Amino acid sequence: MIDLSATQVAASQVARPPAPAPAGRWRKLARTLLRGERPYMLYVAFAILLVVFSLASPWFLSVDNFLNIGRQTTLVSIIAIGMTFVIIARQIDLSVASTLALSGMAAALAMAHIDNNWVVGAIAGLGTGALVGLLNGILTTQLAIPSFLVTLGTLSVARGLAMMITNTKPVIITNETYFAVFGEGSLFGVPAPIAWTLAAVIVGILLLHYNVFGRRIYAVGGNPTAALYSGIRVRRVTTLAFVLTGLLAGLAALVLSARSHAARPDVVQGMELDVIASVILGGCSLFGGRGFILGTLLGSLIIGTLNNGLVLLGVSSPMQLVIKGAIIVAAVAFTKR
């Protein structure tokens, strides 16, 4: 029989406050919304966007348009999963769009020169993305160069290499299996791009929330000095976050090149803005130590919906950039509260 002392009983009573009444729960939810807690604000922001664009455009609220949003969001969602790890670790990767372009070219060229083998092409694309991520991680951690400057440089280098190796010409892909696996087919009854996105989300959740690597990412982002003194290899953890982001940029390159039947060196310029915006809107702190994968997924859906709605309303591309930039600034300012 367990014998609790009077002190223990009193402590347990203090540690377990009474459950709030239903009216108290509603007041608590209202206070949370007014304080701007991210998960709730995300749902509210997404709902407001849906209502506003539904009223503003008769073409927005249709199945075809939502499928279009899903297709447009796939690439951003996949890369944003990796970017979540990088930003939680107090870093940033501006080179993801260029990494995607270079990885797509590597996959297409590998297939063109090695028996049109789609497996070789996939390995080449993923490997190229991972190598760019590794380079970013090594330069950032070993040379103590801010990741903003490192990835700004590799953004230019990767894009330039993608243009140089084919003299800015696209490389046509003809492998039908490659199209089916990454672009036009389905995996377990799910369209391939969406299946790969879901796979990236599941792996991201397992790594970040149910694995020691995820706990170390949070520790490094929360307080790198304390993480170092507690025995965490901060440089290695940070570098792995960059490698994961590069690998997912490579996966996005396979999806894009399979969907368009070609690899182009000038694709998705400026996509890094959408990726970073998705992560920040999804509740990840740009100052590290906070973020979650499902929030990032919802953030990418918000960005995709915003892009789609602005196009339907006839907003020009420059103005879209202005609006998205303003959203990022507002989200970062919100994060500092």
Side-chain angles (χ1 to χ4, degrees):
M1 176 179 293
I2 300 175
D3 184 16
L4 294 176
S5 66
T7 304
Q8 289 173 318
V9 171
S12 65
Q13 290 174 345
V14 171
R16 296 177 182 177
R25 294 195 188 101
W26 286 111
R27 284 197 295 272
K28 182 180 179 182
L29 175 60
R31 286 197 299 270
T32 302
L33 289 172
L34 291 174
R35 284 204 312 270
E37 293 291 343
R38 284 306 184 81
Y40 299 104
M41 291 302 294
L42 278 177
Y43 307 142
V44 173
F46 193 44
I48 290 175
L49 277 181
L50 293 177
V51 171
V52 169
F53 286 133
S54 299
L55 295 175
S57 172
W59 298 281
F60 180 79
L61 203 61
S62 66
V63 174
D64 288 340
N65 190 49
F66 281 116
L67 290 175
N68 191 34
I69 292 174
R71 285 192 292 270
Q72 292 173 344
T73 309
T74 297
L75 301 179
V76 172
S77 299
I78 291 175
I79 302 176
I81 298 302
M83 186 70 82
T84 303
F85 286 81
V86 169
I87 292 182
I88 290 177
R90 288 197 180 194
Q91 306 296 334
I92 198 164
D93 189 345
L94 301 178
S95 68
V96 287
S98 298
T99 303
L100 185 155
L102 182 60
S103 299
M105 297 300 291
L109 288 173
M111 282 187 283
H113 289 87
I114 306 178
D115 299 329
N116 201 22
N117 189 315
W118 72 271
V119 176
V120 173
I123 293 174
L126 295 173
T128 301
L131 280 177
V132 175
L134 180 63
L135 178 64
N136 286 332
I138 290 175
L139 291 176
T140 299
T141 59
Q142 301 298 327
L143 301 182
I145 303 174
S147 58
F148 173 83
L149 297 176
V150 168
T151 56
L152 191 62
T154 50
L155 175 155
S156 179
V157 170
R159 183 72 69 176
L161 286 175
M163 292 182 172
M164 284 174 55
I165 54 181
T166 59
N167 198 21
T168 70
K169 295 178 180 177
V171 178
I172 305 300
I173 301 172
T174 59
N175 191 303
E176 296 292 338
T177 306
Y178 184 81
F179 302 152
V181 172
F182 295 107
E184 300 167 346
S186 61
L187 302 175
F188 307 105
V190 179
I194 297 178
W196 286 111
T197 304
L198 293 175
V201 169
I202 293 171
V203 172
I205 289 174
L206 293 176
L207 280 179
L208 187 60
H209 302 300
Y210 299 97
N211 188 273
V212 66
F213 175 64
R215 292 194 291 274
R216 288 173 177 171
I217 286 285
Y218 280 115
V220 170
N223 190 328
T225 303
L228 184 64
Y229 281 112
S230 65
I232 295 175
R233 296 182 177 180
V234 174
R235 291 179 179 177
R236 176 181 294 183
V237 171
T238 304
T239 301
L240 287 176
F242 278 107
V243 171
L244 179 63
T245 304
L247 187 68
L248 290 175
L251 175 61
L254 302 182
V255 172
L256 177 61
S257 59
R259 206 163 61 192
S260 57
H261 291 201
R264 298 178 58 90
D266 56 349
V267 292
V268 298
Q269 297 192 45
M271 178 185 275
E272 60 275 358
L273 189 64
D274 285 349
V275 172
I276 295 171
S278 298
V279 177
I280 300 301
L281 283 175
C284 190
S285 172
L286 197 57
F287 308 98
R290 193 177 70 195
F292 60 109
I293 298 297
L294 287 182
T296 294
L297 181 63
L298 186 54
S300 66
L301 288 176
I302 290 175
I303 291 295
T305 303
L306 184 66
N307 287 335
N308 179 269
L310 292 176
V311 170
L312 290 179
L313 295 180
V315 178
S316 64
S317 297
M319 182 54 70
Q320 290 181 36
L321 290 176
V322 171
I323 293 174
K324 285 187 288 189
I327 289 174
I328 291 177
V329 172
V332 173
F334 194 72
T335 302
K336 292 187 67 176
R337 292 176 52 192

